C-alpha cells in the first residue's frame, strides 16, 4: 500500500497530504480518548454486553467520519472547551478565528 501512495498516487498528485498548522495536544487527547472508548467497547463485547459494545464502536466510527468528511474533531472540541473552563492540563487554546474542533483554514 505504501508503494501505491509513494510510487503512483503522490507523484501524479492525485492524493496529497493535507497538513494544517494546529496544536498537537488536542489531537493526541482525541486519539487517546477514542482508543479508551474502543477498549471499553471491546471489553463490553467480550463480557457479553453487545448493545453497549456496538453502540460505542459505532459512536467512534461516526465521529471519525465526521472528522474525515466535515473537518470537525469532537475530541479536539472537548479539549478546547476544557481549556476554556480552565481545567488543569488543558493549556492550549483554539487558533484565533476558528470554532473549537473545526479544522483551521
Amino acid at each position: 500500500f505504501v508503494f501505491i501512495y509513494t510510487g503512483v498516487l503522490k507523484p501524479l498528485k492525485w492524493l496529497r497530504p493535507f497538513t494544517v498548522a494546529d496544536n498537537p495536544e488536542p489531537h493526541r487527547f482525541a486519539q487517546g480518548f477514542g482508543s479508551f472508548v474502543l477498549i471499553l467497547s471491546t471489553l463490553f463485547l467480550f463480557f457479553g454486553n453487545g448493545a453497549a459494545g456496538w453502540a460505542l464502536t459505532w459512536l467512534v466510527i461516526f465521529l471519525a467520519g465526521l472528522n474525515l468528511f466535515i473537518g470537525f474533531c469532537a475530541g479536539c472540541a472537548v479539549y478546547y472547551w476544557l481549556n476554556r473552563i480552565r481545567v488543569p492540563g488543558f493549556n492550549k487554546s483554539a487558533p484565533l478565528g476558528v470554532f473549537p474542533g473545526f479544522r483551521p483554514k
Side-chain angles (χ1 to χ4, degrees), residues 24-34 74-76 78-80 82 90:
E25 291 84 357
H27 301 283
R28 286 190 203 122
F29 171 78
Q31 289 173 347
F33 189 74
C76 298
V78 169
Y79 181 96
Y80 287 135
L82 291 171
F90 297 89

Side-chain angles (χ1 to χ4, degrees), residues 4-44:
I4 293 171
Y5 175 72
T6 58
V8 179
L9 299 174
K10 191 174 177 185
L12 292 175
K13 296 187 179 180
W14 288 353
L15 287 178
R16 292 180 298 224
F18 183 71
T19 56
V20 176
D22 196 6
N23 299 320
E25 291 84 357
H27 301 283
R28 286 190 203 122
F29 171 78
Q31 289 173 347
F33 189 74
S35 298
F36 170 76
V37 171
L38 286 176
I39 289 169
L40 189 62
S41 164
T42 302
L43 291 173
F44 277 132

Side-chain angles (χ1 to χ4, degrees), residues 30-63:
Q31 289 173 347
F33 189 74
S35 298
F36 170 76
V37 171
L38 286 176
I39 289 169
L40 189 62
S41 164
T42 302
L43 291 173
F44 277 132
L45 289 169
F46 183 75
F47 289 110
N49 192 343
W54 283 112
L56 290 174
T57 300
W58 281 104
L59 175 67
V60 171
I61 291 170
F62 171 76
L63 292 175

